[in-house]
């Protein structure tokens, strides 16, 4: 491959190095042929893990809680399946698809208002369709801050709670947003005598709140959520790059040292970028801003070129040296630009970046944008042939983290270059802290969450270069170290048996039986994931390449292309598709 392709490869991830934006906001994930009827629904990537198209009879857009109750009652009276749709459905798995083919979608896109702010108690109540960006802004306007949040602010409050979404912290209540919920209102089906739908108000002491805080959307529609916040504060962050030789010792410790700590591991480089990030007094100078490059809009032309280059690099006779150089150049470019952090909202002049919580906790300017005819877009927008990737995220108990890191390093040491396409070639592996939760589907123990994104082909069953490395790590984390898949990320096999690792799953299911006895908010996918009916695995030709199964037979890989089902290199119990040269 030509050296001249290298700059283009920087954008393999869709990293926007230009700031041209007036960009196109993301596509609607619900599309109907006949007004609000005869619809399809997908996720923000335009493709669920099984690549199937999800059909729904129709969609409604309630603007008030009364309209929401009416929508649930109408479907419940007809015993019709239903599902909440958010504006952009960022979850990777098939969570936003209603059961059957003729369900109703209830969109929360227009339920996006602030209901009430109680400044004295520092409580804020919002409608569930509010996007995180607007929530953070509304809180800040009242002098309040949500201490932890996902790093991308395009997610909705209802959706991010449903999947247990988090930032990173072991301090205070921890990294997960649901820890800050002190009440909510949820609309559930009801008997005819009660009008087919009711609003249930759950206060802080209601045990059902532990079910509703992280619900996968199967209990009903959350209408409003009340959070307990903190006075707006400032933080000071610095990225510290170190050799990874003592990473196994540092991995659990780092989170106890800094309130907003995280780590990004670049296995091929043998480096860890430690995020040293703490609260500081509000009088500390600085007006820093997070506008992460990976969540900025990028010129479509560059995204398309980057994808083409990435596809070339997937060819198995292409060259590791070039791939690794590209990965290294990308990492150093991001590092030089401080990942998109600035000290004053304009330029980066050096660490530490000091700023108010609401300006540095999350970003996502690619969603802000007016239409520009798709000249620019979010990197993952399916309307252009840009970035298309898998996103795996799984947490393991913090106590297991040193052993998992040591095992991953053993795999790496066999041949570091294997990581250039899958891990270093993207963002590296991001490790974040989440505390044990009382939520029935939250983390049972203090945990560390490992997040990776990697290449996905547009064509079913196409082998991915060095797929065996990432697949072995995922199986090792899930099976050897008791890993739990993020509910809103991952490929099918990661959910196989996951529910058995939640000690309070039975409590969750009994609330579900009370709230929605006919399973109207349940789907094939949620039944498979919750262990109610069927398996999340789809076993067929090529399934292991797609992550729909763990291979047990060569046909689950691509034997005709030299990919066979083999043991892992370090974790021998893993079964992964490996390229075997003749
Ligand atoms: C670019 C990007 C960055 C991300 N960053 C992070 C991160 O930093 N940390 C992290 O933990 N995760 C992250 N995620 C994953 C994200 O948290 C989940 O995918 C989240 O569920 C998406 O929220 P959403 O509003 O798009 O919900 P959707 O994906 O649309 O919905 C998820 C589920 O919730 C249900 N639901 C939604 N609203 C309601 C409601 N009001 N009542 C009942 N059920 C409801 C839906 O029916 C569905 O079943 C990221 C995802 C993307 C695409
Ligand atoms: C419903 O939509 C599909 C495409 O998703 C289309 O082929 C079909 O004709 C539509 N049916 C009606 C009745 O409009
Ligand atoms: C949705 O479709 C179903 C089945 O066709 C129908 O009974 C119902 O009235 C429709 N609801 C709305 C809000 O259009
Ligand atoms: C709610 O969404 C509408 C568009 O659907 C938007 O115009 C409005 O600004 C949003 N309101 C808030 C408070 O974010
Ligand atoms: C890989 O590419 C590099 C740089 O272009 C070149 O020096 C090297 O010889 C190539 N290696 C192989 C095995 O083709
Ligand atoms: C994306 O690529 C596919 C296959 O190469 C092609 O069929 C499709 O038209 C392209 N889409 C766009 C928007 O360019």
């Amino acid at each position: 491959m030509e050296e001249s392709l290298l700059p283009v490869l920087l954008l393999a991830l869709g990293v926007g190095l230009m700031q041209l934006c007036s960009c196109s906001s993301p596509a609607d994930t619900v599309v109907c042929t006949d007004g609000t009827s005869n619809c399809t629904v997908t996720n923000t990537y335009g493709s669920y893990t099984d690549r199937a198209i999800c059909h729904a009879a129709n969609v409604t857009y309630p603007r008030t809680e009364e309209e929401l109750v009416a929508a649930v009652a109408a479907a419940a009276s007809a015993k019709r399946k239903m599902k909440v749709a958010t504006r952009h459905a960022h979850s990777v798995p098939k969570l936003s698809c209603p059961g059957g083919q003729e369900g109703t979608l209830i969109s929360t896109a227009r339920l996006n208002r602030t209901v009430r702010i109680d400044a004295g108690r520092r409580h804020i109540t919002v409608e569930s369709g509010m996007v995180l960006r607007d929530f953070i802004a509304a809180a800040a306007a009242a002098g309040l801050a949500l201490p932890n949040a996902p790093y991308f602010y395009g997610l909705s409050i209802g959706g991010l709670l449903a999947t247990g979404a988090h930032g990173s912290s072991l301090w205070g209540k921890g990294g997960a947003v649901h820890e800050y919920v002190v009440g909510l209102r949820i609309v559930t089906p009801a008997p005819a005598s009660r009008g087919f739908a009711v609003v249930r108000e759950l206060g802080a002491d209601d045990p059902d709140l532990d079910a509703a805080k992280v619900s996968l959307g199967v209990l009903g529609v959350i209408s409003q959520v009340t959070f307990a916040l903190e006075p707006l504060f400032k933080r000071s962050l610095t990225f510290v790059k170190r050799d990874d030789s003592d990473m196994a010792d540092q991995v659990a410790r780092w989170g106890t040292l800094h309130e907003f700590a995280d780590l990004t591991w670049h296995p091929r480089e043998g480096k860890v970028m430690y995020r040293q990030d703490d609260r500081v007094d509000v009088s500390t100078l600085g007006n820093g801003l997070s506008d992460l490059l990976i969540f900025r809009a990028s010129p479509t032309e560059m995204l398309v070129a980057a994808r083409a280059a990435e596809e070339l690099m997937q060819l198995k006779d292409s060259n590791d040296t070039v791939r690794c150089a590209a990965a290294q150049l990308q990492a150093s470019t991001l590092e030089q630009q401080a990942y998109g952090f600035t000290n004053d909202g304009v330029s980066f002049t050096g660490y530490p970046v000091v700023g108010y919580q609401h300006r540095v906790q999350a970003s996502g300017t690619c969603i802000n944008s007016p239409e520009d005819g798709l000249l620019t877009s979010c990197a993952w927008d399916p309307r252009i042939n840009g970035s298309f990737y898998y996103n795996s995220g799984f947490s393991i108990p913090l106590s297991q983290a040193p052993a998992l890191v040591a095992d991953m390093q053993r795999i790496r040491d066999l041949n570091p270059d294997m990581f250039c396409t899958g891990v270093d070639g993207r963002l590296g592996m991001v490790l974040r802290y989440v505390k044990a939760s009382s939520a029935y589907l939250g983390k049972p123990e203090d945990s560390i969450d490992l997040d990776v994104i990697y290449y996905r082909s547009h064509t079913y069953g196409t082998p991915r270069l060095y797929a065996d490395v990432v697949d072995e790590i995922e199986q090792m984390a899930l099976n050897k170290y008791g890993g739990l898949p993020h509910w809103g990320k991952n490929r099918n096999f990661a959910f196989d048996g996951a529910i058995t690792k939640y000690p309070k799953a039975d409590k969750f299911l009994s609330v579900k039986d009370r709230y929605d006895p006919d399973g109207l908010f349940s789907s094939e996918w949620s039944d498979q994931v919750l262990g109610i009916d069927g398996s999340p695995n789809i076993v067929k030709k090529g399934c292991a390449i797609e992550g729909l199964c763990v291979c047990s037979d060569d046909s689950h890989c691509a034997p005709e292309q030299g990919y066979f089902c083999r043991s892992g290199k370090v974790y021998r119990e893993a079964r992964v598709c490996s390229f075997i040269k003749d």
Side-chain angles (χ1 to χ4, degrees):
M1 197 183 307
E2 299 292 326
E3 288 281 329
S4 61
L5 269 179
L6 279 180
V8 163
L9 296 176
L10 278 178
L11 289 156
L13 180 79
V15 168
L17 300 178
M18 298 171 74
Q19 299 174 52
L20 298 178
C21 199
S22 68
C23 0
S24 300
S25 60
D28 278 336
T29 45
V30 178
V31 175
C32 307
T33 61
D34 181 13
T36 55
S37 300
N38 193 33
C39 310
T40 57
V41 58
T42 181
N43 57 19
T44 193
Y45 307 101
S47 182
Y48 294 121
T49 53
D50 64 359
R51 299 179 190 263
I53 291 180
C54 172
H55 192 261
N58 44 34
V59 57
T60 65
Y61 294 89
R63 292 168 183 278
T64 61
E65 191 174 78
E66 295 71 59
E67 289 180 11
L68 178 56
V69 171
V72 173
S77 67
K79 291 217 181 312
R80 211 166 342 107
K81 293 277 191 181
M82 59 195 128
K83 191 59 98 181
V84 177
T86 66
R87 191 183 296 271
H88 298 306
H90 295 95
S91 294
V92 183
K94 214 169 185 172
L95 281 174
S96 48
C97 178
Q101 291 289 308
E102 291 302 317
T104 286
L105 293 162
I106 300 176
S107 172
T108 55
R110 292 177 191 166
L111 290 170
N112 65 348
R113 284 168 295 246
T114 303
V115 178
R116 185 177 332 110
I117 294 179
D118 178 341
R121 296 163 78 194
R122 302 191 189 113
H123 284 184
I124 181 168
T125 302
V126 299
E127 293 177 328
S128 68
M130 182 176 265
V131 293
L132 182 58
R133 172 197 58 201
D134 299 334
F135 178 81
I136 289 170
L144 300 174
L146 175 66
N148 247 283
Y151 294 175
F152 174 62
Y153 64 33
L155 316 171
S156 74
I157 293 296
L160 66 86
L161 290 175
T163 57
H166 56 85
S168 185
S169 187
L170 286 177
W171 292 31
K173 294 179 180 173
V177 180
H178 53 260
E179 300 307 324
Y180 302 88
V181 172
V182 292
L184 56 77
R185 290 167 69 84
I186 181 168
V187 182
T188 67
S193 59
R194 298 178 68 194
F196 294 108
V198 289
V199 180
R200 297 171 189 259
E201 178 153 18
L202 309 181
D205 299 327
D206 194 318
D208 290 356
L209 193 58
D210 281 325
K213 281 196 289 200
V214 183
S215 74
L216 306 188
V218 300
L219 301 182
V221 189
I222 293 170
S223 162
Q224 300 177 1
V225 189
T226 303
F227 293 87
L229 304 183
E230 296 184 11
L232 187 56
F233 57 89
K234 273 185 161 178
R235 48 202 262 204
S236 169
L237 87 100
T238 300
F239 287 101
V240 183
K241 189 155 89 174
R242 288 197 208 141
D243 195 88
D244 73 5
S245 53
D246 68 345
M247 181 181 171
D249 298 330
Q250 293 295 340
V251 66
R253 221 179 124 248
W254 188 249
T256 65
L257 296 179
H258 302 284
E259 182 172 2
F260 305 103
D262 71 20
L263 295 77
T264 302
W265 184 36
H266 300 279
R268 161 54 164 64
E269 287 303 295
K271 299 286 185 211
V272 187
M273 193 60 88
Y274 291 90
R275 180 182 184 132
Q276 180 179 311
D277 190 344
D278 293 286
R279 268 179 219 241
V280 291
D281 194 272
V282 283
S283 65
T284 312
L285 285 181
N287 194 26
L289 181 74
S290 168
D291 181 9
L292 296 188
L293 295 163
I294 55 169
F295 300 145
R296 284 188 199 173
S298 300
T300 298
E301 233 173 48
M302 294 177 85
L303 293 169
V304 169
R307 174 69 185 188
E310 193 184 24
E311 286 181 357
L312 275 180
M313 288 205 296
Q314 279 290 320
L315 302 176
K316 60 183 185 241
D317 54 359
S318 75
N319 183 323
D320 272 346
T321 313
V322 173
R323 277 193 289 266
C324 292
Q328 203 174 1
L329 184 57
Q330 173 172 290
S332 64
T333 305
L334 287 171
E335 188 185 337
Q336 273 160 28
Q337 303 199 25
Y339 307 96
F341 285 96
T342 56
N343 300 80
D344 56 1
V346 180
S347 54
F348 176 71
T349 51
Y351 293 117
V353 170
V354 176
Y356 284 106
Q357 169 72 347
H358 69 290
R359 285 170 57 87
V360 295
Q361 69 182 148
S363 71
T365 44
C366 76
I367 66 158
N368 288 348
S369 354
E371 295 307 318
D372 66 0
L374 279 178
L375 287 173
T376 63
S377 60
C378 291
W380 55 87
D381 194 313
R383 292 170 299 182
I384 60 164
N385 281 333
S387 203
F388 190 53
Y389 51 83
Y390 292 112
N391 183 357
S392 295
F394 34 84
S395 61
I396 60 153
L398 200 55
S399 55
Q400 304 276 1
L404 173 61
V405 166
D407 267 348
M408 292 194 296
Q409 290 182 332
R410 265 175 220 121
I411 298 174
R412 185 273 312 276
D413 292 344
L414 296 172
N415 173 11
D417 287 356
M418 298 184 300
F419 286 82
C420 289
T421 54
V423 182
D424 289 57
R426 288 297 195 145
L427 280 180
M429 180 183 284
V430 179
L431 294 91
R432 293 187 286 183
Y433 301 98
V434 186
K435 276 181 85 164
S437 179
S438 63
Y440 299 150
L441 298 184
K443 307 297 177 198
E445 292 179 64
D446 287 356
S447 301
I448 191 159
D449 176 274
L450 286 62
D451 206 276
V452 280
I453 65 175
Y454 45 91
Y455 179 84
R456 184 180 184 190
S457 171
H458 283 292
T459 310
Y460 178 93
T462 309
R464 173 166 53 85
L465 199 68
Y466 297 123
D468 50 345
V469 176
V470 172
D471 292 3
E472 179 175 347
I473 288 174
E474 290 191 23
Q475 290 180 37
M476 186 162 75
L478 294 167
N479 299 328
K480 182 173 176 187
Y481 293 106
L484 298 173
H486 190 304
W487 295 116
K489 301 183 179 183
N490 294 294
R491 299 174 294 159
N492 290 39
F493 78 87
F495 294 96
D496 187 17
I499 194 67
T500 63
K501 299 178 200 168
Y502 286 86
K504 296 177 190 155
D506 56 332
K507 293 188 170 186
F508 181 81
L509 293 178
S510 74
V511 175
K512 174 169 138 47
D513 282 344
R514 261 192 291 127
Y515 281 23
D516 182 21
D518 296 320
L520 300 180
F521 282 92
S522 294
S523 63
E524 294 79 2
W525 174 251
S526 69
D527 282 349
Q528 290 157 5
V529 164
L530 292 171
I532 294 168
D533 190 18
S535 160
N537 287 336
I538 299 174
V539 180
K540 59 178 177 178
K541 188 174 182 309
C543 60
I545 287 176
E546 295 282 307
L548 297 174
C549 70
V550 169
C551 67
S552 55
D553 186 278
D554 288 335
S555 70
H556 300 151
C557 300
E560 69 287 352
Q561 294 178 64
Y563 287 85
F564 298 92
C565 183
R566 292 290 183 267
S567 290
K569 297 178 201 318
V570 166
Y571 178 54
R572 305 296 297 175
E573 290 85 344
R575 299 295 294 173
V576 297
C577 297
S578 293
F579 178 59
I580 315 286
K581 289 201 179 87
D582 331 301

